[in-house]
Amino acid sequence: MTTPDFATIDWRGRAVRIECQWIAPEKTGAPLIVFLHEGLGSVAMWKDFPTQLCDAAGARGLVFSRPGYGRSTPRADDETWDVDFMHRQAHEVLPALFDALGLGHERPWLFGHSDGGSISLLYASRFPDRVEGLVVLAPHIFVEDVTVENIEKARTAYLGTDLPKKLGRYHDSADSAFWGWNRIWLHPPFRDWNIERELDTIRCPVLAMQGIDDEYGTLAQIRGIAARVRGCELLEIPECGHSPHRDQPDRVIVAATSFITKNRRQIP
């Protein structure tokens, strides 16, 4: 990947700096894959996976850290996220970032993991003509007991282990990243969060993958997407947990590359 860069957007009435990294930007005629990280992720936490996928797919890549994560602007001390926090990322932050980077004319592929997968689905639902296709790994479309139980365990680990130090390697503010994610997922009203109906307006190709041993969700998540999105393809991966790109990277790269190649729009 190239050296980290930053874009500034106006979000919630303040200037927010977004950490970005480009992969093979010189391939101007190649498809663009935008990588959206999980609830505790960042640019650095993807490691070299985006480069490997873009190399295999012959694509350019954009990797970025959402507000509150990585080297992007941390949450303000008094900023709490509400039940619609993923909708705001999809409907406000992502369009603002694309505009700031001069990508308004592009129709990118979105490659999203966990919360990033949910945000990808919400973006494609709201802006069906602005996206070429989706590859989503372990996305959430509703809240399950197993998800909440393991997020509660993560809170216990954050308070009682060296998890803050470990996250500090990847985020300017580990507290910003962790508590923004953890508190909203454990907020009682969030138990009713559900985006199934919004999937009905997705028109692009979708590949949804999930590990059979996913500790943060059951296969009902991706099967629910297939029930709503016509032509959605599923890949249920054995010996794989919540992060298929870490647990089974080769399988994910082969599947994603094949899917993108098969569905790539031919530009005259």
Side-chain angles (χ1 to χ4, degrees):
M1 288 191 286
T2 59
T3 302
D5 199 359
F6 294 90
T8 299
I9 65 171
D10 183 358
W11 188 49
R12 294 190 174 187
R14 67 175 178 139
V16 174
R17 193 173 76 153
I18 304 294
E19 176 190 22
C20 304
Q21 280 192 333
W22 288 98
I23 301 167
E26 70 280 0
K27 296 181 179 178
T28 55
L32 173 64
I33 303 175
V34 179
F35 294 84
L36 290 91
H37 61 74
E38 73 270 34
L40 290 178
S42 67
V43 167
M45 287 186 73
W46 284 105
K47 299 188 183 298
D48 63 351
F49 177 84
T51 298
Q52 292 179 11
L53 176 57
C54 287
D55 286 347
R60 295 171 292 146
L62 170 63
V63 191
F64 74 98
S65 299
R66 295 195 299 275
Y69 296 95
R71 310 306 170 205
S72 295
T73 301
R75 287 181 305 111
D77 292 340
D78 60 350
E79 178 184 348
T80 57
W81 294 347
D82 209 340
V83 173
D84 66 348
F85 82 99
M86 283 189 269
H87 288 77
R88 286 183 173 269
Q89 295 293 323
H91 300 166
E92 300 169 8
V93 172
L94 203 50
L97 177 62
F98 289 163
D99 286 345
L101 295 174
L103 298 176
H105 64 290
E106 295 255 14
R107 289 180 57 184
W109 284 85
L110 303 185
F111 187 102
H113 173 223
S114 193
D115 284 10
S118 304
I119 293 165
S120 299
L121 292 164
L122 288 166
Y123 181 86
S125 171
R126 172 63 68 91
F127 307 110
D129 297 326
R130 298 189 196 176
V131 61
E132 192 71 13
L134 306 179
V135 179
V136 291
L137 280 59
H140 306 283
I141 60 172
F142 55 87
V143 179
E144 296 183 282
D145 289 343
V146 65
T147 313
V148 174
E149 289 166 4
N150 279 287
I151 290 175
E152 287 174 340
K153 292 178 181 178
R155 178 180 62 187
T156 299
Y158 194 81
L159 293 172
T161 71
D162 65 347
L163 182 56
K165 181 179 179 180
K166 291 179 178 178
L167 287 177
R169 301 170 189 163
Y170 302 102
H171 306 281
D172 280 350
S173 171
D175 281 352
S176 168
F178 184 83
W179 292 118
W181 165 76
N182 190 266
R183 284 172 178 154
I184 184 55
W185 268 96
L186 297 183
H187 187 40
F190 195 70
R191 293 302 294 263
D192 295 326
W193 178 87
N194 186 303
I195 63 170
E196 288 178 280
R197 289 186 178 180
E198 289 166 84
L199 305 179
D200 293 344
T201 56
I202 294 176
R203 298 288 178 263
C204 66
V206 177
L207 171 61
M209 308 186 205
Q210 189 167 4
I212 291 175
D213 303 317
D214 191 338
E215 63 274 29
Y216 282 96
T218 71
L219 294 171
Q221 299 289 340
I222 62 169
R223 292 173 181 175
I225 298 171
R228 293 276 185 171
V229 179
R230 183 177 180 180
C232 173
E233 297 185 21
L234 301 184
L235 179 60
E236 300 173 1
I237 307 175
E239 299 180 5
C240 181
H242 186 60
S243 301
H245 61 296
R246 298 185 189 118
D247 294 347
Q248 298 282 354
D250 292 342
R251 186 161 189 181
V252 171
I253 288 171
V254 168
T257 297
S258 175
F259 187 75
I260 291 170
T261 301
K262 177 177 65 176
N263 291 285
R264 182 177 177 183
R265 182 166 52 108
Q266 297 301 316
I267 302 175

